[in-house]
Amino acid sequence: MYKYNCLNPISPKGLGNFTKDFQKTDNVDEAEGILVRSAAMHDMELSDSLLAVARAGAGVNNIPLDKCAQKGIVVFNTPGANANGVKEIVIAGMLYASRDICGGIQWVKENAADENIAKSAEKAKKKFAGTEIEGKKLGVIGLGAIGVKVANTAVNLGMEVYGYDPYISVDAAWNLSRAVKHVLNVNEIYENCDIITIHVPLIDATKGMIDAAAIEEMKHGVILMNFARDLLVDEKQVVKAVKNGQIRKYVSDFPNAVTAGVENCIVTPHIGASTEESEDNCAVMAVSEMMDFLSNGNIRNSVNYPACDMGVCDKAGRITVMHKNIANMITKFTACLGDAGINISDMTNKSRGEYAYTMMDIEKAADEKIIAKLRSVEGVYRVRVVK
């Protein structure tokens, strides 16, 4: 029996997929798995029983990835599960930035007591006029699950779409419309596009990527949209550019004291993935990843360990080892088992940066003495008997 804890409310549609081998617990210290959405985990004490953290969403900046990796804790996310929900609000963002829909709605509210509001509206509507998006140039920075959907939808809306992603995956490339112009230099987007939307993960290389220099390269009167992460953008520089007209509108899903209430900054309360469908999809994927890992040792969509899948074990036993990605580790593991007369029928070893993961299916169950010997190998973070 495996125990799991939810740090945030998780969709019942996902939790309902747990089998009878999984039990929910309110005591986080006894849980082998944690399901989380936005709860901050950086200051949490991670118990020795914890094996996996599944983030029901894409961003994982609320989780201490290296700390988890060094304790042999796999961190999962759910890429693509909320992509359609975010795509839809991005398209909406383009529309309400291009046309002053929000201003028009506010005007109607403010004039609700006017008995002649229909006649007054005919006089007032000129100040809410805007531009259409058909025929405009859209720059999509980051062609992951969300970026591809945004780009393809924009093509269907009649936009000329530029896409930039030096690390585009094979799957993303296959799904991307051939009408999208894949550029190799992000400056091509800055220089040419009327609307720019950002869809990259927040890492050291992307933090603050939209800075004063990038803004200066953009077309005068550009619409800039950020539904990815707030720290990707130097918002003080954005506000300055909004006030001098370099940026026509800034659309963000991350409210803070810098942009809230600033004229021509349209800020929503982090609702990009707040749809029933997105929350259900993320929960279903997170639960599936956690069950497969705890039951079989397989890793899918981890952000701190490599993908590794050996299906369901049909041999006498399965052992997994999380360890440093250094030389001679496999030799040491096989020697431990070989010295005990245990044959390895199948084995997989994968690495990701400084971390590695080894799965071994064995023809005779390993006793605690052999497991202890594996744990004593220098560079090993965790050894687990899956079966």
Side-chain angles (χ1 to χ4, degrees), residues 15-112:
L15 298 183
N17 288 344
F18 275 120
T19 66
K20 57 181 175 54
D21 296 323
F22 293 80
Q23 181 182 64
K24 188 175 182 181
T25 176
D26 292 329
N27 182 0
V28 69
D29 291 331
E30 68 177 9
E32 285 101 350
I34 286 178
L35 290 161
V36 61
R37 290 173 62 195
S38 59
M41 295 186 63
H42 286 278
D43 296 328
M44 279 183 60
E45 288 293 328
L46 304 176
S47 73
D48 291 339
S49 63
L50 185 60
L51 300 172
V53 175
R55 160 77 164 97
V60 289
N61 52 309
N62 57 321
I63 304 169
L65 303 184
D66 284 333
K67 180 180 176 182
C68 286
Q70 290 162 15
K71 287 182 68 70
I73 300 168
V74 177
V75 178
F76 301 96
N77 69 348
T78 56
N82 60 11
N84 190 69
V86 178
K87 176 209 75 177
E88 289 184 358
I89 201 171
V90 171
I91 300 302
M94 282 197 286
L95 293 169
Y96 57 64
S98 298
R99 305 176 67 173
D100 193 6
I101 298 168
C102 298
I105 293 170
Q106 186 61 34
W107 181 91
V108 173
K109 286 183 178 180
E110 292 171 353
N111 291 273

XYZ file of all heavy atoms in Angstrom, residues 15-112:
723
model
N -7.796 11.996 -8.853
C -7.662 11.175 -7.646
C -8.468 9.888 -7.759
O -8.093 8.867 -7.187
C -8.114 11.980 -6.422
C -7.309 13.254 -6.100
C -7.838 13.898 -4.824
C -5.824 12.949 -5.961
N -9.563 9.949 -8.506
C -10.396 8.764 -8.684
C -9.709 7.659 -9.464
O -10.188 6.518 -9.469
N -8.583 7.975 -10.116
C -7.857 6.963 -10.886
C -6.887 6.143 -10.042
O -6.335 5.148 -10.526
C -7.094 7.616 -12.035
C -8.010 8.086 -13.143
O -9.167 7.690 -13.213
N -7.511 8.944 -14.022
N -6.648 6.559 -8.794
C -5.788 5.759 -7.923
C -6.428 4.394 -7.682
O -7.633 4.291 -7.429
C -5.569 6.451 -6.575
C -4.445 7.453 -6.572
C -4.695 8.781 -6.270
C -3.143 7.068 -6.849
C -3.664 9.706 -6.251
C -2.099 7.984 -6.831
C -2.364 9.317 -6.533
N -5.626 3.355 -7.752
C -6.120 2.007 -7.502
C -6.194 1.754 -5.999
O -5.785 2.589 -5.182
C -5.198 0.963 -8.156
O -3.912 1.010 -7.501
C -5.023 1.251 -9.639
N -6.688 0.572 -5.636
C -6.821 0.207 -4.218
C -5.467 0.099 -3.522
O -5.412 0.029 -2.284
C -7.579 -1.108 -4.085
C -6.950 -2.272 -4.835
C -7.778 -3.534 -4.669
C -7.247 -4.686 -5.506
N -5.838 -4.997 -5.300
N -4.385 0.113 -4.290
C -3.051 0.029 -3.691
C -2.556 1.385 -3.204
O -1.442 1.487 -2.685
C -2.050 -0.529 -4.711
C -2.370 -1.957 -5.110
O -2.814 -2.715 -4.228
O -2.192 -2.294 -6.288
N -3.373 2.422 -3.384
C -2.977 3.774 -2.994
C -3.997 4.349 -2.020
O -5.208 4.201 -2.212
C -2.843 4.679 -4.224
C -1.700 4.302 -5.127
C -1.826 3.252 -6.029
C -0.494 4.978 -5.056
C -0.775 2.885 -6.848
C 0.565 4.622 -5.873
C 0.425 3.570 -6.769
N -3.481 4.993 -0.997
C -4.339 5.531 0.056
C -3.948 6.972 0.364
O -2.764 7.290 0.520
C -4.218 4.676 1.315
C -5.077 5.121 2.480
C -4.845 4.245 3.699
O -3.741 4.218 4.255
N -5.875 3.505 4.097
N -4.933 7.844 0.465
C -4.669 9.243 0.792
C -4.391 9.389 2.284
O -5.042 8.741 3.113
C -5.863 10.115 0.399
C -5.588 11.611 0.523
C -6.769 12.422 0.009
C -6.470 13.920 0.090
N -7.618 14.726 -0.396
N -3.421 10.247 2.617
C -3.097 10.531 4.010
C -2.988 12.031 4.223
O -2.541 12.765 3.333
C -1.782 9.852 4.438
O -1.468 10.230 5.789
C -0.617 10.260 3.553
N -3.393 12.484 5.392
C -3.254 13.906 5.739
C -1.897 14.189 6.369
O -1.548 15.349 6.586
C -4.370 14.329 6.707
C -5.741 14.311 6.037
O -5.799 14.563 4.820
O -6.742 14.034 6.731
N -1.161 13.135 6.673
C 0.165 13.280 7.283
C 1.223 13.244 6.178
O 1.570 12.186 5.672
C 0.409 12.156 8.289
C 1.756 12.289 8.998
O 2.523 13.235 8.736
N 2.050 11.363 9.883
N 1.726 14.410 5.808
C 2.668 14.494 4.696
C 3.954 13.727 4.983
O 4.627 13.256 4.060
C 2.961 15.976 4.360
C 3.758 16.641 5.480
C 3.679 16.118 3.026
N 4.313 13.578 6.255
C 5.573 12.914 6.596
C 5.547 11.412 6.352
O 6.604 10.783 6.289
C 5.923 13.183 8.073
C 6.293 14.635 8.317
O 6.813 15.274 7.381
O 6.057 15.139 9.438
N 4.354 10.820 6.220
C 4.293 9.381 5.966
C 3.991 9.063 4.507
O 3.883 7.903 4.129
C 3.243 8.723 6.871
C 1.810 9.105 6.547
C 0.802 8.375 7.422
O 1.219 7.714 8.391
O -0.414 8.468 7.125
N 3.894 10.100 3.691
C 3.520 9.897 2.287
C 4.723 9.519 1.436
O 5.796 10.097 1.560
C 2.879 11.162 1.737
N 4.515 8.535 0.540
C 5.528 8.220 -0.471
C 5.397 9.143 -1.674
O 6.359 9.343 -2.411
C 5.395 6.774 -0.936
C 5.906 5.739 0.048
C 4.795 5.080 0.838
O 3.651 5.556 0.772
O 5.080 4.091 1.523
N 4.218 9.696 -1.862
C 3.992 10.601 -2.981
C 3.272 11.863 -2.540
O 2.423 11.825 -1.651
N 3.636 12.982 -3.176
C 2.963 14.257 -2.920
C 2.435 14.791 -4.237
O 3.154 14.828 -5.240
C 3.923 15.293 -2.292
C 4.197 14.945 -0.827
C 3.359 16.705 -2.408
C 5.181 15.898 -0.159
N 1.163 15.204 -4.233
C 0.564 15.899 -5.367
C 0.458 17.372 -5.002
O -0.006 17.718 -3.905
C -0.822 15.335 -5.670
C -0.846 13.917 -6.253
C -2.226 13.302 -6.082
C -0.448 13.928 -7.705
N 0.887 18.244 -5.905
C 0.948 19.673 -5.590
C 0.589 20.495 -6.812
O 0.797 20.066 -7.955
C 2.366 20.049 -5.081
C 3.419 19.783 -6.139
C 2.432 21.499 -4.612
N 0.040 21.672 -6.572
C -0.181 22.642 -7.641
C 0.714 23.848 -7.386
O 1.812 23.909 -7.882
C -1.666 23.018 -7.717
C -2.539 21.877 -8.237
C -4.015 22.196 -8.158
N -4.369 23.344 -8.988
C -5.510 24.001 -8.885
N -6.407 23.631 -7.982
N -5.767 25.016 -9.681
N 0.278 24.789 -6.552
C 1.051 26.015 -6.360
C 1.725 26.130 -4.998
O 2.486 27.065 -4.762
C 0.132 27.233 -6.555
O -0.953 27.188 -5.632
N 1.483 25.193 -4.088
C 2.053 25.285 -2.741
C 3.578 25.332 -2.792
O 4.212 24.581 -3.536
C 1.598 24.096 -1.891
N 4.163 26.229 -2.001
C 5.628 26.384 -1.962
C 6.249 25.247 -1.149
O 5.863 25.009 -0.003
C 5.997 27.726 -1.371
N 7.229 24.568 -1.731
C 7.851 23.427 -1.063
C 9.314 23.676 -0.686
O 9.944 22.812 -0.081
C 7.767 22.191 -1.969
C 6.363 21.694 -2.241
S 6.337 20.129 -3.176
C 7.145 19.012 -2.031
N 9.851 24.842 -1.033
C 11.277 25.080 -0.821
C 11.687 25.000 0.649
O 12.805 24.583 0.954
C 11.673 26.436 -1.410
C 11.736 26.435 -2.903
N 12.833 25.974 -3.602
C 10.830 26.800 -3.840
C 12.613 26.074 -4.903
N 11.394 26.567 -5.076
N 10.820 25.398 1.549
C 11.177 25.382 2.968
C 10.635 24.159 3.698
O 10.751 24.058 4.921
C 10.649 26.657 3.649
C 11.312 27.914 3.106
O 12.498 27.838 2.722
O 10.647 28.973 3.056
N 10.063 23.232 2.965
C 9.529 22.019 3.590
C 10.640 21.054 3.970
O 11.641 20.936 3.274
C 8.577 21.283 2.627
C 7.180 21.832 2.575
S 6.136 20.818 1.467
C 6.233 19.205 2.262
N 10.440 20.364 5.086
C 11.309 19.247 5.425
C 10.808 18.029 4.649
O 9.651 17.636 4.784
C 11.261 18.971 6.926
C 11.974 20.007 7.778
C 13.483 20.004 7.557
O 14.031 18.917 7.268
O 14.097 21.084 7.650
N 11.667 17.452 3.835
C 11.269 16.310 3.012
C 11.593 15.024 3.757
O 12.751 14.739 4.053
C 12.004 16.353 1.668
C 11.810 17.647 0.855
C 12.658 17.605 -0.416
C 10.335 17.850 0.511
N 10.574 14.256 4.068
C 10.769 13.045 4.862
C 11.491 11.976 4.059
O 11.470 11.974 2.826
C 9.420 12.504 5.344
O 8.716 11.914 4.274
N 12.106 11.048 4.766
C 12.838 9.958 4.109
C 11.903 9.008 3.369
O 12.340 8.262 2.494
C 13.654 9.178 5.143
C 14.822 9.991 5.693
O 15.238 10.950 5.012
O 15.282 9.679 6.805
N 10.620 9.029 3.725
C 9.665 8.137 3.056
C 9.236 8.664 1.697
O 8.730 7.905 0.867
C 8.429 7.936 3.935
O 7.750 9.161 4.128
N 9.458 9.948 1.440
C 8.979 10.555 0.193
C 9.787 10.073 -1.002
O 11.013 10.173 -1.034
C 9.058 12.083 0.297
C 8.491 12.877 -0.886
C 7.017 12.578 -1.089
C 8.718 14.374 -0.680
N 9.086 9.575 -2.019
C 9.720 9.049 -3.225
C 9.437 9.887 -4.463
O 10.233 9.902 -5.399
C 9.244 7.613 -3.492
C 9.518 6.576 -2.410
C 8.808 5.274 -2.744
C 11.017 6.356 -2.268
N 8.276 10.558 -4.491
C 7.878 11.269 -5.710
C 7.026 12.486 -5.377
O 6.223 12.471 -4.446
C 7.099 10.335 -6.635
N 7.226 13.542 -6.188
C 6.387 14.742 -6.136
C 5.835 14.942 -7.538
O 6.594 14.985 -8.511
C 7.189 15.995 -5.712
C 6.310 17.238 -5.796
C 7.746 15.823 -4.312
N 4.513 15.034 -7.657
C 3.891 15.249 -8.962
C 3.201 16.605 -8.960
O 2.293 16.839 -8.171
C 2.885 14.143 -9.280
N 3.672 17.483 -9.828
C 3.092 18.822 -9.964
C 1.981 18.768 -11.002
O 2.226 18.430 -12.164
C 4.189 19.805 -10.385
C 3.701 21.102 -11.012
C 3.177 22.098 -10.005
N 3.094 23.425 -10.602
C 1.983 23.950 -11.120
N 0.852 23.254 -11.124
N 1.997 25.165 -11.633
N 0.754 19.079 -10.592
C -0.385 19.080 -11.510
C -0.381 20.386 -12.293
O -1.173 21.285 -12.068
C -1.691 18.903 -10.743
N 0.554 20.479 -13.213
C 0.772 21.680 -14.015
C 2.158 21.604 -14.620
O 2.881 20.614 -14.432
N 2.548 22.648 -15.328
C 3.834 22.613 -16.032
C 4.977 23.215 -15.217
O 6.056 22.643 -15.110
C 3.715 23.331 -17.370
N 4.760 24.382 -14.626
C 5.832 25.079 -13.913
C 6.179 24.401 -12.601
O 5.305 23.924 -11.878
N 7.468 24.361 -12.280
C 7.914 23.676 -11.062
C 8.815 24.567 -10.207
O 9.601 24.076 -9.401
C 8.662 22.360 -11.408
C 7.706 21.313 -11.931
C 9.780 22.605 -12.409
N 8.693 25.899 -10.378
C 9.559 26.786 -9.611
C 9.190 26.837 -8.128
O 9.909 27.436 -7.323
C 9.550 28.200 -10.212
C 8.164 28.750 -10.413
O 7.315 28.088 -11.010
N 7.918 29.961 -9.925
N 8.089 26.200 -7.739
C 7.712 26.113 -6.326
C 8.266 24.859 -5.652
O 7.989 24.606 -4.475
C 6.184 26.131 -6.176
C 5.493 25.017 -6.946
O 5.882 24.689 -8.062
N 4.466 24.422 -6.368
N 9.076 24.086 -6.404
C 9.605 22.818 -5.890
C 11.135 22.847 -5.937
O 11.715 23.217 -6.963
C 9.079 21.636 -6.732
C 7.541 21.637 -6.751
C 9.591 20.305 -6.189
C 6.947 20.669 -7.763
N 11.822 22.438 -4.859
C 13.294 22.425 -4.842
C 13.842 21.209 -5.608
O 14.036 20.137 -5.035
C 13.642 22.364 -3.358
C 12.480 21.640 -2.740
C 11.265 22.032 -3.547
N 14.103 21.377 -6.886
C 14.427 20.233 -7.755
C 15.715 19.529 -7.357
O 15.766 18.293 -7.287
C 14.492 20.702 -9.210
C 13.234 21.374 -9.768
C 13.424 21.683 -11.248
C 12.015 20.490 -9.556
N 16.797 20.286 -7.145
C 18.069 19.648 -6.796
C 18.009 18.989 -5.420
O 18.559 17.904 -5.207
C 19.204 20.678 -6.843
C 19.616 21.012 -8.265
O 19.434 20.154 -9.146
O 20.105 22.127 -8.505
N 17.363 19.658 -4.483
C 17.202 19.085 -3.137
C 16.478 17.743 -3.226
O 16.875 16.768 -2.591
C 16.430 20.062 -2.258
C 16.181 19.586 -0.831
C 15.405 20.660 -0.060
C 15.041 20.194 1.340
N 14.245 21.235 2.059
N 15.438 17.700 -4.048
C 14.707 16.446 -4.237
C 15.589 15.395 -4.911
O 15.629 14.237 -4.480
C 13.461 16.694 -5.079
S 12.119 17.538 -4.204
N 16.293 15.795 -5.966
C 17.127 14.843 -6.708
C 18.169 14.202 -5.799
O 18.429 12.996 -5.883
C 17.791 15.542 -7.884
N 18.764 15.012 -4.933
C 19.824 14.498 -4.057
C 19.295 13.626 -2.920
O 20.063 12.942 -2.254
C 20.634 15.670 -3.507
C 21.487 16.335 -4.584
C 21.962 17.715 -4.212
O 21.905 18.106 -3.045
N 22.430 18.479 -5.195
N 17.990 13.659 -2.718
C 17.373 12.738 -1.759
C 16.710 11.556 -2.470
O 16.037 10.744 -1.848
C 16.331 13.485 -0.911
C 16.924 14.418 0.124
C 15.841 15.090 0.947
C 15.085 14.125 1.853
N 15.897 13.608 2.981
N 16.915 11.490 -3.804
C 16.333 10.394 -4.560
C 14.836 10.519 -4.728
O 14.119 9.521 -4.800
N 14.355 11.760 -4.819
C 12.930 12.028 -4.993
C 12.706 12.517 -6.421
O 13.285 13.520 -6.838
C 12.427 13.084 -3.993
C 12.647 12.607 -2.555
C 10.955 13.411 -4.245
C 12.448 13.696 -1.510
N 11.866 11.816 -7.168
C 11.577 12.204 -8.545
C 10.486 13.269 -8.548
O 9.473 13.131 -7.852
C 11.117 10.992 -9.379
C 10.760 11.417 -10.790
C 12.206 9.941 -9.419
N 10.694 14.317 -9.331
C 9.689 15.372 -9.477
C 9.113 15.295 -10.889
O 9.852 15.346 -11.875
C 10.287 16.767 -9.221
C 9.208 17.841 -9.422
C 10.868 16.855 -7.818
N 7.804 15.159 -10.964
C 7.098 15.100 -12.245
C 6.343 16.400 -12.490
O 5.958 17.092 -11.546
C 6.066 13.959 -12.250
C 6.638 12.593 -12.014
C 6.635 12.025 -10.751
C 7.169 11.862 -13.065
C 7.157 10.765 -10.536
C 7.691 10.598 -12.866
C 7.688 10.038 -11.591
N 6.111 16.718 -13.753
C 5.127 17.740 -14.095
C 4.202 17.177 -15.164
O 4.307 16.003 -15.523
C 5.781 19.055 -14.519
C 6.491 18.960 -15.855
O 6.714 17.869 -16.397
N 6.867 20.100 -16.402
N 3.282 17.989 -15.670
C 2.285 17.474 -16.612
C 2.283 18.338 -17.878
O 1.320 19.079 -18.118
C 0.890 17.454 -15.968
O 0.557 18.768 -15.494
C 0.857 16.481 -14.796
N 3.338 18.262 -18.672
C 3.430 19.113 -19.860
C 2.315 18.828 -20.864
O 2.031 17.677 -21.181
C 4.808 18.740 -20.435
C 5.077 17.355 -19.931
C 4.470 17.332 -18.562
N 1.687 19.881 -21.309
C 0.652 19.751 -22.323
C -0.743 19.526 -21.779
O -1.726 19.718 -22.500
N -0.871 19.154 -20.511
C -2.194 18.842 -19.976
C -3.091 20.074 -19.903
O -4.304 19.976 -20.037
C -2.072 18.204 -18.591
N -2.470 21.234 -19.672
C -3.270 22.463 -19.601
C -3.055 23.362 -20.826
O -3.438 24.535 -20.821
C -2.948 23.248 -18.327
C -1.487 23.664 -18.239
O -0.740 23.544 -19.210
N -1.067 24.150 -17.089
N -2.441 22.806 -21.863
C -2.035 23.614 -23.017
C -3.212 24.284 -23.714
O -3.127 25.449 -24.118
C -1.240 22.763 -24.013
N -4.306 23.567 -23.854
C -5.435 24.165 -24.573
C -6.058 25.314 -23.794
O -6.420 26.344 -24.369
C -6.505 23.113 -24.874
C -7.558 23.645 -25.829
O -7.283 23.879 -26.997
N -8.759 23.876 -25.325
N -6.164 25.147 -22.479
C -6.703 26.219 -21.656
C -5.872 27.482 -21.754
O -6.405 28.594 -21.871
N -4.545 27.333 -21.695
C -3.662 28.500 -21.797
C -3.728 29.086 -23.203
O -3.771 30.310 -23.389
C -2.215 28.126 -21.420
C -1.299 29.338 -21.576
C -2.151 27.610 -19.990
N -3.747 28.208 -24.207
C -3.846 28.699 -25.590
C -5.063 29.590 -25.772
O -4.989 30.662 -26.386
C -3.942 27.516 -26.552
C -4.157 27.915 -28.011
C -4.918 26.862 -28.798
C -6.395 26.876 -28.458
N -7.149 25.891 -29.271
N -6.186 29.181 -25.229
C -7.413 29.951 -25.411
C -7.325 31.328 -24.775
O -7.780 32.327 -25.343
C -8.610 29.172 -24.851
C -8.969 27.958 -25.705
C -10.219 27.242 -25.217
O -10.791 27.667 -24.195
O -10.625 26.250 -25.864
N -6.712 31.416 -23.571
C -6.626 32.732 -22.934
C -5.596 33.616 -23.636
O -5.706 34.843 -23.640
C -6.335 32.610 -21.422
C -6.768 33.907 -20.713
C -4.878 32.293 -21.136
C -6.734 33.818 -19.203
N -4.578 32.997 -24.259
C -3.623 33.777 -25.051
C -4.320 34.408 -26.258
O -4.121 35.596 -26.566
C -2.431 32.901 -25.510
C -1.558 33.651 -26.515
C -1.598 32.480 -24.307
N -5.145 33.625 -26.930
C -5.906 34.162 -28.069
C -6.832 35.283 -27.591
O -6.951 36.342 -28.228
C -6.718 33.053 -28.763
C -5.776 31.947 -29.288
C -7.548 33.633 -29.894
C -4.720 32.403 -30.261
N -7.482 35.067 -26.441
C -8.325 36.115 -25.866
C -7.500 37.353 -25.554
O -7.929 38.492 -25.797
C -9.017 35.604 -24.602
N -6.290 37.146 -25.033
C -5.405 38.265 -24.711
C -5.062 39.092 -25.934
O -5.010 40.337 -25.874
N -4.828 38.419 -27.055
C -4.559 39.154 -28.296
C -5.743 40.025 -28.679
O -5.587 41.164 -29.120
C -4.243 38.174 -29.436
C -2.849 37.618 -29.399
S -2.376 36.878 -30.976
C -3.321 35.375 -30.940
N -6.938 39.502 -28.487
C -8.148 40.222 -28.876
C -8.412 41.412 -27.961
O -8.698 42.510 -28.433
C -9.344 39.270 -28.888
C -9.303 38.182 -29.970
C -10.386 37.144 -29.731
C -9.451 38.800 -31.353
N -8.318 41.190 -26.647
C -8.618 42.329 -25.781
C -7.481 43.321 -25.645
O -7.642 44.402 -25.092
C -9.199 41.922 -24.418
C -8.430 40.977 -23.529
C -7.189 41.303 -22.998
C -8.996 39.765 -23.150
C -6.526 40.451 -22.144
C -8.346 38.900 -22.297
C -7.111 39.234 -21.791
O -6.440 38.391 -20.944
N -6.308 43.002 -26.189
C -5.242 43.992 -26.281
C -5.339 44.775 -27.591
O -5.015 45.964 -27.649
C -3.876 43.330 -26.175
N -5.777 44.095 -28.656
C -5.892 44.748 -29.958
C -7.108 45.667 -30.014
O -7.082 46.707 -30.676
C -5.994 43.694 -31.072
O -4.831 42.894 -31.122
N -8.165 45.273 -29.327
C -9.386 46.078 -29.290
C -9.713 46.365 -27.825
O -9.591 45.475 -26.981
C -10.539 45.321 -29.949
C -10.203 44.884 -31.353
C -11.300 44.058 -31.979
N -12.497 44.869 -32.200
C -13.561 44.407 -32.865
N -13.569 43.177 -33.350
N -14.615 45.180 -33.032
N -10.127 47.579 -27.502
C -10.319 47.944 -26.095
C -11.631 47.383 -25.552
O -12.541 48.123 -25.153
C -10.265 49.477 -25.941
C -10.140 49.897 -24.479
O -9.977 49.002 -23.623
O -10.223 51.112 -24.205
N -11.706 46.070 -25.540
C -12.903 45.384 -25.051
C -13.104 45.661 -23.561
O -14.222 45.939 -23.116
C -12.779 43.868 -25.312
C -12.692 43.613 -26.822
C -13.947 43.106 -24.702
C -12.290 42.205 -27.187
N -12.008 45.585 -22.789
C -12.105 45.808 -21.343
C -12.595 47.228 -21.042
O -13.440 47.433 -20.165
C -10.747 45.571 -20.685
S -10.137 43.885 -20.862
N -12.057 48.203 -21.782
C -12.483 49.588 -21.579
C -13.950 49.782 -21.905
O -14.674 50.511 -21.205
N -14.407 49.125 -22.971
C -15.808 49.219 -23.351
C -16.728 48.618 -22.309
O -17.785 49.180 -21.983
N -16.359 47.478 -21.780
C -17.159 46.833 -20.733
C -17.243 47.733 -19.500
O -18.315 47.901 -18.899
C -16.561 45.457 -20.369
C -16.707 44.491 -21.539
C -17.221 44.889 -19.111
C -15.948 43.188 -21.372
N -16.106 48.325 -19.122
C -16.070 49.212 -17.959
C -16.953 50.439 -18.185
O -17.656 50.900 -17.280
C -14.626 49.635 -17.660
C -14.462 50.442 -16.388
C -14.895 49.678 -15.148
O -14.732 48.461 -15.057
N -15.478 50.392 -14.190
N -16.960 50.982 -19.403
C -17.786 52.151 -19.716
C -19.264 51.826 -19.521
O -20.025 52.614 -18.954
C -17.540 52.610 -21.157
C -18.333 53.823 -21.525
C -17.972 55.126 -21.405
C -19.664 53.829 -22.071
N -18.980 55.957 -21.821
C -20.037 55.187 -22.234
C -20.569 52.829 -22.437
C -21.276 55.560 -22.745
C -21.813 53.203 -22.934
C -22.157 54.547 -23.096
N -19.679 50.649 -19.989
C -21.079 50.245 -19.830
C -21.446 50.132 -18.351
O -22.524 50.576 -17.927
C -21.354 48.921 -20.573
C -22.761 48.414 -20.257
C -21.180 49.092 -22.064
N -20.569 49.570 -17.542
C -20.827 49.463 -16.101
C -20.982 50.839 -15.465
O -21.883 51.077 -14.656
C -19.688 48.699 -15.414
C -19.683 47.203 -15.666
C -18.567 46.534 -14.884
C -18.579 45.020 -15.082
N -17.486 44.374 -14.320
N -20.084 51.746 -15.829
C -20.094 53.085 -15.241
C -21.308 53.901 -15.670
O -21.711 54.848 -14.980
C -18.802 53.825 -15.614
C -17.566 53.228 -14.964
C -16.274 53.824 -15.516
O -16.354 54.609 -16.492
O -15.193 53.493 -14.977
N -21.903 53.557 -16.801
C -23.044 54.319 -17.322
C -24.344 53.520 -17.270
O -25.292 53.813 -18.001
C -22.747 54.759 -18.762
C -21.653 55.804 -18.832
O -21.898 56.997 -18.732
N -20.414 55.339 -18.987
N -24.377 52.531 -16.405
C -25.548 51.655 -16.319
C -26.823 52.414 -15.959
O -27.928 52.002 -16.332
C -25.302 50.552 -15.296
